[in-house]
Each structure stands twice: as structure tokens, then as C-alpha cells.
PDB file of all heavy atoms in Angstrom:
ATOM      1  N   THR T   1     120.218  66.994  86.139  1.00 92.00           N
ATOM      2  CA  THR T   1     120.391  68.450  86.125  1.00 92.00           C
ATOM      3  C   THR T   1     120.054  69.022  84.763  1.00 92.00           C
ATOM      4  O   THR T   1     119.429  70.075  84.660  1.00 92.00           O
ATOM      5  CB  THR T   1     121.830  68.848  86.518  1.00 92.00           C
ATOM      6  OG1 THR T   1     122.751  68.249  85.630  1.00 92.00           O
ATOM      7  CG2 THR T   1     122.136  68.462  87.946  1.00 92.00           C
ATOM      8  N   HIS T   2     120.442  68.306  83.709  1.00 92.00           N
ATOM      9  CA  HIS T   2     120.140  68.771  82.363  1.00 92.00           C
ATOM     10  C   HIS T   2     118.630  68.801  82.122  1.00 92.00           C
ATOM     11  O   HIS T   2     118.114  69.729  81.498  1.00 92.00           O
ATOM     12  CB  HIS T   2     120.823  67.877  81.332  1.00 92.00           C
ATOM     13  CG  HIS T   2     120.490  68.228  79.931  1.00 92.00           C
ATOM     14  ND1 HIS T   2     121.041  69.316  79.300  1.00 92.00           N
ATOM     15  CD2 HIS T   2     119.655  67.660  79.044  1.00 92.00           C
ATOM     16  CE1 HIS T   2     120.552  69.397  78.081  1.00 92.00           C
ATOM     17  NE2 HIS T   2     119.705  68.394  77.904  1.00 92.00           N
ATOM     18  N   ALA T   3     117.926  67.808  82.608  1.00 93.00           N
ATOM     19  CA  ALA T   3     116.472  67.759  82.421  1.00 93.00           C
ATOM     20  C   ALA T   3     115.786  68.950  83.089  1.00 93.00           C
ATOM     21  O   ALA T   3     114.832  69.506  82.533  1.00 93.00           O
ATOM     22  CB  ALA T   3     115.917  66.454  82.979  1.00 93.00           C
ATOM     23  N   LEU T   4     116.284  69.364  84.221  1.00 92.00           N
ATOM     24  CA  LEU T   4     115.655  70.479  84.926  1.00 92.00           C
ATOM     25  C   LEU T   4     115.826  71.795  84.179  1.00 92.00           C
ATOM     26  O   LEU T   4     114.856  72.521  83.946  1.00 92.00           O
ATOM     27  CB  LEU T   4     116.226  70.592  86.340  1.00 92.00           C
ATOM     28  CG  LEU T   4     115.807  69.486  87.297  1.00 92.00           C
ATOM     29  CD1 LEU T   4     116.538  69.621  88.618  1.00 92.00           C
ATOM     30  CD2 LEU T   4     114.317  69.510  87.521  1.00 92.00           C
ATOM     31  N   PHE T   5     117.035  72.137  83.777  1.00 90.00           N
ATOM     32  CA  PHE T   5     117.181  73.419  83.102  1.00 90.00           C
ATOM     33  C   PHE T   5     116.741  73.357  81.651  1.00 90.00           C
ATOM     34  O   PHE T   5     116.376  74.376  81.067  1.00 90.00           O
ATOM     35  CB  PHE T   5     118.573  74.027  83.267  1.00 90.00           C
ATOM     36  CG  PHE T   5     119.728  73.272  82.706  1.00 90.00           C
ATOM     37  CD1 PHE T   5     119.998  73.276  81.354  1.00 90.00           C
ATOM     38  CD2 PHE T   5     120.589  72.588  83.545  1.00 90.00           C
ATOM     39  CE1 PHE T   5     121.086  72.595  80.844  1.00 90.00           C
ATOM     40  CE2 PHE T   5     121.682  71.913  83.047  1.00 90.00           C
ATOM     41  CZ  PHE T   5     121.925  71.913  81.690  1.00 90.00           C
ATOM     42  N   LYS T   6     116.694  72.167  81.059  1.00 91.00           N
ATOM     43  CA  LYS T   6     116.162  72.057  79.694  1.00 91.00           C
ATOM     44  C   LYS T   6     114.650  72.238  79.698  1.00 91.00           C
ATOM     45  O   LYS T   6     114.085  72.824  78.767  1.00 91.00           O
ATOM     46  CB  LYS T   6     116.535  70.706  79.095  1.00 91.00           C
ATOM     47  CG  LYS T   6     116.252  70.590  77.635  1.00 91.00           C
ATOM     48  CD  LYS T   6     116.953  71.660  76.827  1.00 91.00           C
ATOM     49  CE  LYS T   6     118.425  71.469  76.861  1.00 91.00           C
ATOM     50  NZ  LYS T   6     119.157  72.211  75.860  1.00 91.00           N
ATOM     51  N   ALA T   7     113.979  71.758  80.738  1.00 94.00           N
ATOM     52  CA  ALA T   7     112.544  71.985  80.863  1.00 94.00           C
ATOM     53  C   ALA T   7     112.257  73.482  80.994  1.00 94.00           C
ATOM     54  O   ALA T   7     111.309  73.998  80.387  1.00 94.00           O
ATOM     55  CB  ALA T   7     111.995  71.232  82.074  1.00 94.00           C
ATOM     56  N   LEU T   8     113.084  74.179  81.750  1.00 94.00           N
ATOM     57  CA  LEU T   8     112.933  75.625  81.865  1.00 94.00           C
ATOM     58  C   LEU T   8     113.148  76.308  80.515  1.00 94.00           C
ATOM     59  O   LEU T   8     112.422  77.237  80.155  1.00 94.00           O
ATOM     60  CB  LEU T   8     113.909  76.177  82.904  1.00 94.00           C
ATOM     61  CG  LEU T   8     113.883  77.684  83.137  1.00 94.00           C
ATOM     62  CD1 LEU T   8     112.510  78.140  83.614  1.00 94.00           C
ATOM     63  CD2 LEU T   8     114.952  78.078  84.131  1.00 94.00           C
ATOM     64  N   LEU T   9     114.125  75.836  79.750  1.00 93.00           N
ATOM     65  CA  LEU T   9     114.366  76.410  78.423  1.00 93.00           C
ATOM     66  C   LEU T   9     113.159  76.219  77.510  1.00 93.00           C
ATOM     67  O   LEU T   9     112.756  77.143  76.791  1.00 93.00           O
ATOM     68  CB  LEU T   9     115.591  75.761  77.781  1.00 93.00           C
ATOM     69  CG  LEU T   9     116.931  76.420  78.001  1.00 93.00           C
ATOM     70  CD1 LEU T   9     118.040  75.591  77.381  1.00 93.00           C
ATOM     71  CD2 LEU T   9     116.957  77.810  77.443  1.00 93.00           C
ATOM     72  N   PHE T  10     112.568  75.042  77.512  1.00 94.00           N
ATOM     73  CA  PHE T  10     111.400  74.803  76.658  1.00 94.00           C
ATOM     74  C   PHE T  10     110.183  75.599  77.121  1.00 94.00           C
ATOM     75  O   PHE T  10     109.391  76.063  76.291  1.00 94.00           O
ATOM     76  CB  PHE T  10     111.077  73.312  76.574  1.00 94.00           C
ATOM     77  CG  PHE T  10     111.801  72.615  75.469  1.00 94.00           C
ATOM     78  CD1 PHE T  10     112.760  71.659  75.752  1.00 94.00           C
ATOM     79  CD2 PHE T  10     111.532  72.907  74.144  1.00 94.00           C
ATOM     80  CE1 PHE T  10     113.433  71.016  74.730  1.00 94.00           C
ATOM     81  CE2 PHE T  10     112.193  72.268  73.116  1.00 94.00           C
ATOM     82  CZ  PHE T  10     113.151  71.319  73.409  1.00 94.00           C
ATOM     83  N   LEU T  11     110.024  75.786  78.425  1.00 95.00           N
ATOM     84  CA  LEU T  11     108.928  76.630  78.908  1.00 95.00           C
ATOM     85  C   LEU T  11     109.111  78.075  78.448  1.00 95.00           C
ATOM     86  O   LEU T  11     108.164  78.722  77.993  1.00 95.00           O
ATOM     87  CB  LEU T  11     108.837  76.562  80.436  1.00 95.00           C
ATOM     88  CG  LEU T  11     108.262  75.298  81.023  1.00 95.00           C
ATOM     89  CD1 LEU T  11     108.445  75.287  82.535  1.00 95.00           C
ATOM     90  CD2 LEU T  11     106.803  75.152  80.667  1.00 95.00           C
ATOM     91  N   CYS T  12     110.319  78.576  78.570  1.00 93.00           N
ATOM     92  CA  CYS T  12     110.608  79.938  78.109  1.00 93.00           C
ATOM     93  C   CYS T  12     110.437  80.055  76.601  1.00 93.00           C
ATOM     94  O   CYS T  12     109.928  81.061  76.103  1.00 93.00           O
ATOM     95  CB  CYS T  12     112.026  80.340  78.502  1.00 93.00           C
ATOM     96  SG  CYS T  12     112.272  80.528  80.271  1.00 93.00           S
ATOM     97  N   ALA T  13     110.843  79.026  75.878  1.00 93.00           N
ATOM     98  CA  ALA T  13     110.685  79.044  74.425  1.00 93.00           C
ATOM     99  C   ALA T  13     109.216  79.093  74.049  1.00 93.00           C
ATOM    100  O   ALA T  13     108.828  79.799  73.108  1.00 93.00           O
ATOM    101  CB  ALA T  13     111.357  77.828  73.807  1.00 93.00           C
ATOM    102  N   GLY T  14     108.384  78.376  74.764  1.00 93.00           N
ATOM    103  CA  GLY T  14     106.952  78.406  74.500  1.00 93.00           C
ATOM    104  C   GLY T  14     106.359  79.786  74.703  1.00 93.00           C
ATOM    105  O   GLY T  14     105.536  80.257  73.905  1.00 93.00           O
ATOM    106  N   VAL T  15     106.778  80.459  75.750  1.00 92.00           N
ATOM    107  CA  VAL T  15     106.304  81.821  76.005  1.00 92.00           C
ATOM    108  C   VAL T  15     106.775  82.762  74.897  1.00 92.00           C
ATOM    109  O   VAL T  15     106.002  83.596  74.403  1.00 92.00           O
ATOM    110  CB  VAL T  15     106.787  82.316  77.393  1.00 92.00           C
ATOM    111  CG1 VAL T  15     106.496  83.786  77.582  1.00 92.00           C
ATOM    112  CG2 VAL T  15     106.146  81.505  78.496  1.00 92.00           C
ATOM    113  N   LEU T  16     108.033  82.617  74.492  1.00 90.00           N
ATOM    114  CA  LEU T  16     108.559  83.479  73.432  1.00 90.00           C
ATOM    115  C   LEU T  16     107.859  83.240  72.104  1.00 90.00           C
ATOM    116  O   LEU T  16     107.527  84.192  71.383  1.00 90.00           O
ATOM    117  CB  LEU T  16     110.063  83.267  73.270  1.00 90.00           C
ATOM    118  CG  LEU T  16     110.944  83.747  74.405  1.00 90.00           C
ATOM    119  CD1 LEU T  16     112.398  83.436  74.108  1.00 90.00           C
ATOM    120  CD2 LEU T  16     110.759  85.225  74.656  1.00 90.00           C
ATOM    121  N   ILE T  17     107.625  81.985  71.770  1.00 91.00           N
ATOM    122  CA  ILE T  17     106.947  81.670  70.518  1.00 91.00           C
ATOM    123  C   ILE T  17     105.532  82.221  70.525  1.00 91.00           C
ATOM    124  O   ILE T  17     105.066  82.829  69.552  1.00 91.00           O
ATOM    125  CB  ILE T  17     106.963  80.148  70.267  1.00 91.00           C
ATOM    126  CG1 ILE T  17     108.382  79.695  69.945  1.00 91.00           C
ATOM    127  CG2 ILE T  17     106.003  79.763  69.148  1.00 91.00           C
ATOM    128  CD1 ILE T  17     108.558  78.182  69.948  1.00 91.00           C
ATOM    129  N   HIS T  18     104.835  82.037  71.631  1.00 90.00           N
ATOM    130  CA  HIS T  18     103.471  82.559  71.738  1.00 90.00           C
ATOM    131  C   HIS T  18     103.456  84.089  71.696  1.00 90.00           C
ATOM    132  O   HIS T  18     102.615  84.694  71.033  1.00 90.00           O
ATOM    133  CB  HIS T  18     102.824  82.053  73.026  1.00 90.00           C
ATOM    134  CG  HIS T  18     101.427  82.521  73.219  1.00 90.00           C
ATOM    135  ND1 HIS T  18     100.382  82.055  72.462  1.00 90.00           N
ATOM    136  CD2 HIS T  18     100.896  83.431  74.075  1.00 90.00           C
ATOM    137  CE1 HIS T  18      99.265  82.655  72.841  1.00 90.00           C
ATOM    138  NE2 HIS T  18      99.552  83.496  73.820  1.00 90.00           N
ATOM    139  N   GLY T  19     104.399  84.710  72.393  1.00 84.00           N
ATOM    140  CA  GLY T  19     104.442  86.168  72.450  1.00 84.00           C
ATOM    141  C   GLY T  19     104.924  86.827  71.173  1.00 84.00           C
ATOM    142  O   GLY T  19     104.644  87.992  70.919  1.00 84.00           O
ATOM    143  N   ALA T  20     105.643  86.075  70.345  1.00 83.00           N
ATOM    144  CA  ALA T  20     106.170  86.636  69.095  1.00 83.00           C
ATOM    145  C   ALA T  20     105.279  86.318  67.902  1.00 83.00           C
ATOM    146  O   ALA T  20     105.725  86.363  66.762  1.00 83.00           O
ATOM    147  CB  ALA T  20     107.580  86.114  68.851  1.00 83.00           C
ATOM    148  N   GLY T  21     104.035  85.995  68.164  1.00 85.00           N
ATOM    149  CA  GLY T  21     103.104  85.752  67.068  1.00 85.00           C
ATOM    150  C   GLY T  21     103.241  84.373  66.453  1.00 85.00           C
ATOM    151  O   GLY T  21     103.094  84.214  65.243  1.00 85.00           O
ATOM    152  N   ASN T  22     103.525  83.367  67.274  1.00 87.00           N
ATOM    153  CA  ASN T  22     103.637  81.970  66.846  1.00 87.00           C
ATOM    154  C   ASN T  22     104.721  81.723  65.798  1.00 87.00           C
ATOM    155  O   ASN T  22     104.564  80.888  64.921  1.00 87.00           O
ATOM    156  CB  ASN T  22     102.288  81.441  66.348  1.00 87.00           C
ATOM    157  CG  ASN T  22     101.268  81.372  67.451  1.00 87.00           C
ATOM    158  OD1 ASN T  22     101.615  81.109  68.594  1.00 87.00           O
ATOM    159  ND2 ASN T  22     100.017  81.623  67.135  1.00 87.00           N
ATOM    160  N   THR T  23     105.805  82.459  65.889  1.00 88.00           N
ATOM    161  CA  THR T  23     106.953  82.195  65.021  1.00 88.00           C
ATOM    162  C   THR T  23     108.086  81.613  65.855  1.00 88.00           C
ATOM    163  O   THR T  23     108.265  81.987  67.010  1.00 88.00           O
ATOM    164  CB  THR T  23     107.430  83.455  64.286  1.00 88.00           C
ATOM    165  OG1 THR T  23     108.514  83.114  63.432  1.00 88.00           O
ATOM    166  CG2 THR T  23     107.879  84.547  65.240  1.00 88.00           C
ATOM    167  N   GLN T  24     108.820  80.684  65.267  1.00 90.00           N
ATOM    168  CA  GLN T  24     109.940  80.046  65.949  1.00 90.00           C
ATOM    169  C   GLN T  24     111.266  80.542  65.420  1.00 90.00           C
ATOM    170  O   GLN T  24     112.320  80.146  65.926  1.00 90.00           O
ATOM    171  CB  GLN T  24     109.870  78.530  65.758  1.00 90.00           C
ATOM    172  CG  GLN T  24     108.658  77.908  66.352  1.00 90.00           C
ATOM    173  CD  GLN T  24     108.563  76.420  66.082  1.00 90.00           C
ATOM    174  OE1 GLN T  24     107.643  75.807  66.533  1.00 90.00           O
ATOM    175  NE2 GLN T  24     109.490  75.830  65.372  1.00 90.00           N
ATOM    176  N   ASP T  25     111.248  81.403  64.424  1.00 89.00           N
ATOM    177  CA  ASP T  25     112.469  81.899  63.790  1.00 89.00           C
ATOM    178  C   ASP T  25     113.083  82.981  64.673  1.00 89.00           C
ATOM    179  O   ASP T  25     112.494  84.045  64.870  1.00 89.00           O
ATOM    180  CB  ASP T  25     112.139  82.457  62.411  1.00 89.00           C
ATOM    181  CG  ASP T  25     113.376  82.728  61.581  1.00 89.00           C
ATOM    182  OD1 ASP T  25     114.492  82.649  62.131  1.00 89.00           O
ATOM    183  OD2 ASP T  25     113.216  83.017  60.391  1.00 89.00           O
ATOM    184  N   ILE T  26     114.286  82.715  65.189  1.00 88.00           N
ATOM    185  CA  ILE T  26     114.891  83.662  66.129  1.00 88.00           C
ATOM    186  C   ILE T  26     115.348  84.940  65.439  1.00 88.00           C
ATOM    187  O   ILE T  26     115.610  85.932  66.104  1.00 88.00           O
ATOM    188  CB  ILE T  26     116.053  83.019  66.922  1.00 88.00           C
ATOM    189  CG1 ILE T  26     117.161  82.537  65.999  1.00 88.00           C
ATOM    190  CG2 ILE T  26     115.551  81.912  67.797  1.00 88.00           C
ATOM    191  CD1 ILE T  26     118.394  82.053  66.721  1.00 88.00           C
ATOM    192  N   ARG T  27     115.412  84.933  64.115  1.00 85.00           N
ATOM    193  CA  ARG T  27     115.755  86.162  63.404  1.00 85.00           C
ATOM    194  C   ARG T  27     114.644  87.191  63.514  1.00 85.00           C
ATOM    195  O   ARG T  27     114.885  88.386  63.384  1.00 85.00           O
ATOM    196  CB  ARG T  27     116.034  85.869  61.932  1.00 85.00           C
ATOM    197  CG  ARG T  27     117.279  85.047  61.700  1.00 85.00           C
ATOM    198  CD  ARG T  27     117.414  84.688  60.264  1.00 85.00           C
ATOM    199  NE  ARG T  27     116.383  83.692  59.932  1.00 85.00           N
ATOM    200  CZ  ARG T  27     116.403  82.926  58.856  1.00 85.00           C
ATOM    201  NH1 ARG T  27     117.377  83.054  57.982  1.00 85.00           N
ATOM    202  NH2 ARG T  27     115.457  82.055  58.644  1.00 85.00           N
ATOM    203  N   SER T  28     113.432  86.740  63.776  1.00 85.00           N
ATOM    204  CA  SER T  28     112.317  87.671  63.886  1.00 85.00           C
ATOM    205  C   SER T  28     112.036  88.076  65.337  1.00 85.00           C
ATOM    206  O   SER T  28     111.083  88.785  65.599  1.00 85.00           O
ATOM    207  CB  SER T  28     111.051  87.068  63.266  1.00 85.00           C
ATOM    208  OG  SER T  28     110.663  85.911  63.979  1.00 85.00           O
ATOM    209  N   PHE T  29     112.850  87.612  66.268  1.00 85.00           N
ATOM    210  CA  PHE T  29     112.645  87.991  67.669  1.00 85.00           C
ATOM    211  C   PHE T  29     113.283  89.354  67.924  1.00 85.00           C
ATOM    212  O   PHE T  29     112.710  90.359  67.638  1.00 85.00           O
ATOM    213  CB  PHE T  29     113.236  86.942  68.610  1.00 85.00           C
ATOM    214  CG  PHE T  29     112.444  85.672  68.712  1.00 85.00           C
ATOM    215  CD1 PHE T  29     111.303  85.465  67.959  1.00 85.00           C
ATOM    216  CD2 PHE T  29     112.825  84.673  69.564  1.00 85.00           C
ATOM    217  CE1 PHE T  29     110.573  84.302  68.057  1.00 85.00           C
ATOM    218  CE2 PHE T  29     112.108  83.497  69.677  1.00 85.00           C
ATOM    219  CZ  PHE T  29     110.982  83.314  68.924  1.00 85.00           C
TER     220      PHE T  29
END
């Protein structure tokens, strides 16, 4: 169960990082 929702979290994180100009710093989101 953890693998399934963690995969979803990483997919969403990839979209956010790409959409936020390739930054991973959540302070800039």
C-alpha cells in the first residue's frame, strides 16, 4: 500500500518540480 501512494507522491512531485521551473525548494512553491 505504501508503494502505491508513494509512487503517486513522486509523480505529483515531478509535475510540481517541472511546473515550478525545475526547483525542488518548497519555499518557492
Side-chain angles (χ1 to χ4, degrees):
T1 58
H2 176 76
L4 289 174
F5 63 77
K6 190 57 67 165
L8 180 60
L9 268 176
F10 271 114
L11 286 171
C12 292
V15 171
L16 291 179
I17 290 169
H18 180 71
N22 294 326
T23 182
Q24 297 177 179
D25 192 351
I26 60 173
R27 293 174 289 197
S28 63
F29 286 3

